Structure formats: C-alpha cells, structure tokens
Amino acid sequence: MRDEDSVLYSGNFYNNSNLSAPGIAGRMRRLQDSLKDKGTKLVVIMYPTKFREDWSRGYYGIPYNNLNAYGDEVLRYLRRYDVDYVDVRDVFRDADMKAKDIFYHTDHHWTVPSAFYATGKIIDHLNQKFEANLDPDGYYRDLNNYTIETYSHIYMGSQGRDAGLIYSRRLDDYSFLYPKFATNYHYYSRYKGGKEANKDGPIDRTLIDRKYLDYADPYDREMNNSYLQGVVRFDQIDNKLNPNGPTALFIRDSYSSPVATFLSPMFSRIELLWSLHFSPTGDGSIQKMLEKKHFDYVFVALALDNFTNEGTPFYTDDPKAAENGDADVAAQGQDPAAH
C-alpha cells in the first residue's frame, strides 16, 4: 500500500504480538530487578513502526500494519511497573516529522539521518534520567562533525522489492554518516553456525560496510545492511580510544545498528545480541549472559513488531506471572494513565 508521498506500507490484518502488554512489562521489570544489585540501568527503547496516523499522509488502506495502540498499552504497563523507557515515536512526533522524513519510501526501516537524530534524543534521556554525562558539550551530537555521503536513487528496500519498481515509483537515496573526528575500534561479530569475524580501524572501515554499492541489481542492493551488517546473532564494539567509558548491552533488532554506531564514541564497549536468534529456544541464555557480565546500561531496543514472546526471550519460566504481572510488581508503581 502507498500513501500520497509514495511511501509504502506493509499490510497486516492483526496485531502480530503473541504476548500481552502486561506480559512484556512483567519481563522487563524482572530484568530490571535482576540488574539492580549490579548497578546496571535498564532502558526500554521502543522504535516506531512505519505507519502512524499523525505522520502517514493520505493513507487509508486496510489492512495496515498499525501496532501503535498495542505499543501505547506496553508503555502504560511499563509506567505502572516503574520501568524506564524511551518512546522514539514521540521523538519524531515532537519534531513534527512525517513518514517520508523518517523512513525510506521503499523499506520499513528508518533512514540513517533519522537514527542519528533519535540517538541524540536517547543521549538526552540518559543524561536527564541517570546523570550519565554523555557528550556534555554536544560534540558527538553535532551533525557538523560528521561526513554525509549521499547516493541518489540507489536503494530498493524490502517493501519495494515486494511491490516492484513500477508500483513503488522510485528508488530511495541512501546516506552514510560517519565522524570527521578520529575513531579506532575492534569489531567482533558471530553468525549463525558459529562463524566469526574481526575488524580493526575507524568507524567507516569497521562498523560501516559499503560493499552493497557495488551490486548492480537494485533488488540485491541491501543498503540497510551497511551499518553493523544490518543485524547478526551477536556482535561487540570495543572503543580503543575510550577504554574507560561506560559499557552497554543492546538486546535488539536491526533498528539498533546505526544507533549503536552513533553511541559508540561515548562508550568503551557495546555488545549487541539479536533477541530473535540469540536464544531461539528460550532457554534463558540471555539471563545466563547477564549473570556473567557487567554492563552500565542494558537497552532492550526493539521495533514495535518485535515486542513479542520471541523478541523478549528472558524470564519465560513463569508464563502465568509473565502474562498477568505480579501484584508486588504492580504495587511498586502508580499508573499515571489510570487518571
């Protein structure tokens, strides 16, 4: 489906989450409680799905992939359970940005400049909520300190590939953003089957890959995989120039790849695991990992359609409690939406 700005949308007849809003919030609260003794701060980051009534122009197609009511309910329960969060949808709404400004026309992902803008707002939140003192002079959030390398009419996203070029009407522009300032990283990645890879060097040689520019067929040119390879089972960014900075874990999907890249100058180590595939059997391996490692921050950072049972594979051993929420957990917070 396509709106008046030629922005494409995915169709869906139903809310595809198989876990209720109290269930999601209950898991987040259990995760937060398990991290508390280590001094680790949990932040839930809710990335947007493409359709939203106040930024999609002239689109009234049915069905559409609208999960915003479900997302609002998840956030209501997070407030009730006193779990910190960033609603990235509000970041764009407050800036009066529209779908054509946030997302690719032909893909469900947000653009790299949109991710950069949202990362700045996430930094603001961490500084205000936790006195994180990240980027106190605003240097890393200043777009003037980055090279913007744009390629016009080069990207056919997944929605465009499904619909075809004639219906899509266009190819998207794609922009690389990378620092003008010095960076030096070790980047490790692990794939399905155990294959591993290592890279050393600046951001634009380690965390960013331009190989898709060489693909002649636009249907094969998956530009969204240019940052942190889109998403892999597990990867880790070690900042050689900031060894004493804070550490973070992303329990994430592909939306977090540019966000983690833009956060990396301020952190000493960022580890990222793909929630849908790091623990595919739901056996608690994320919990075991957190028992062995310490992080200053844990970000559960997911697009709305990944707030599911598979997308949050931790604290799954008590389905009844996870589905309905615990009375003692609920009693700890006051739900402002109830008033």
Side-chain angles (χ1 to χ4, degrees):
M1 282 72 74
R2 186 182 62 215
D3 73 6
E4 293 179 6
D5 293 318
S6 295
V7 176
L8 300 182
Y9 299 92
S10 299
N12 196 0
F13 284 99
Y14 52 87
N15 172 7
N16 67 345
S17 179
N18 53 9
L19 187 61
S20 71
I24 291 287
R27 290 186 184 186
M28 300 302 178
R29 179 54 191 257
R30 286 175 181 77
L31 180 60
Q32 177 176 275
D33 289 345
S34 72
L35 299 171
K36 190 174 182 179
D37 289 343
K38 294 184 177 183
T40 301
K41 301 168 181 66
L42 174 70
V43 182
V44 176
I45 301 175
M46 180 178 286
Y47 298 130
T49 50
K50 196 171 186 179
F51 178 83
R52 188 177 173 116
E53 293 87 345
D54 52 357
W55 64 43
S56 297
R57 193 174 77 90
Y59 173 67
Y60 303 103
I62 295 176
Y64 50 74
N65 193 24
N66 185 2
L67 301 176
N68 289 295
Y70 172 69
D72 293 342
E73 187 179 10
V74 170
L75 297 183
R76 184 167 69 88
Y77 275 94
L78 290 178
R79 291 193 296 271
R80 182 175 181 178
Y81 294 176
D82 198 21
V83 176
D84 186 56
Y85 67 82
V86 177
D87 183 0
V88 179
R89 300 173 304 165
D90 281 348
V91 169
F92 296 126
R93 187 183 64 183
D94 293 345
D96 196 27
M97 295 172 70
K98 304 304 179 184
K100 63 183 178 65
D101 306 314
I102 304 167
F103 300 91
Y104 297 106
H105 287 72
T106 66
D107 196 85
H108 64 285
H109 288 99
W110 55 3
T111 68
V112 173
S114 297
F116 180 85
Y117 179 78
T119 302
K121 299 303 179 180
I122 292 170
I123 293 169
D124 291 343
H125 176 86
L126 296 175
N127 288 341
Q128 293 166 10
K129 176 73 177 183
F130 302 112
E131 298 182 354
N133 198 34
L134 297 173
D135 192 24
D137 59 0
Y139 183 81
Y140 297 119
R141 286 168 283 178
D142 187 347
L143 197 58
N144 293 317
N145 296 321
Y146 293 78
T147 296
I148 304 174
E149 184 181 316
T150 300
Y151 295 85
S152 299
H153 311 302
I154 194 173
Y155 180 34
M156 173 65 79
S158 61
Q159 293 169 325
R161 294 195 297 269
D162 289 342
L165 182 57
I166 294 175
Y167 183 81
S168 302
R169 295 181 175 175
R170 58 175 296 171
L171 296 177
D172 279 296
D173 298 344
Y174 187 89
S175 295
F176 293 96
L177 269 67
Y178 54 91
K180 295 177 182 177
F181 52 86
T183 56
N184 191 8
Y185 295 99
H186 177 75
Y187 176 53
Y188 165 83
S189 51
R190 186 172 71 243
Y191 309 88
K192 181 180 180 180
K195 180 184 175 182
E196 299 175 308
N198 292 274
K199 290 183 178 181
D200 291 276
I203 276 184
D204 59 315
R205 301 290 181 85
T206 54
L207 310 187
I208 296 174
D209 195 334
R210 291 179 176 78
K211 68 179 181 181
Y212 292 100
L213 292 172
D214 298 328
Y215 284 52
D217 190 339
Y219 286 85
D220 297 328
R221 201 182 294 135
E222 184 47 90
M223 298 303 298
N224 191 65
N225 290 345
S226 298
Y227 281 72
L228 301 187
Q229 307 169 77
V231 60
V232 298
R233 183 157 291 192
F234 176 82
D235 41 354
Q236 179 172 325
I237 304 166
D238 289 295
N239 187 347
K240 298 179 183 181
L241 300 184
N242 188 17
N244 298 317
T247 58
L249 171 69
F250 275 82
I251 301 172
R252 59 93 162 214
D253 57 23
S254 54
Y255 270 69
S256 289
S257 294
V259 173
T261 301
F262 296 132
L263 282 176
S264 63
M266 290 157 274
F267 284 76
S268 61
R269 185 180 86 250
I270 296 177
E271 299 187 29
L272 306 101
L273 58 89
W274 190 5
S275 63
L276 293 174
H277 292 281
F278 184 82
S279 177
T281 61
D283 62 1
S285 61
I286 290 179
Q287 293 164 235
K288 293 176 183 177
M289 176 190 185
L290 289 169
E291 289 172 359
K292 297 176 182 178
K293 293 185 176 182
H294 174 267
F295 300 94
D296 295 300
Y297 299 92
V298 169
F299 304 118
V300 180
L302 301 168
L304 248 175
D305 48 359
N306 284 324
F307 277 80
T308 62
N309 190 51
E310 295 80 12
T312 57
F314 42 84
Y315 296 97
T316 62
D317 52 338
D318 188 352
K320 183 177 179 181
E323 177 67 19
N324 299 318
D326 288 337
D328 61 327
V329 172
Q332 308 232 358
Q334 181 68 35
D335 180 8
H339 302 282

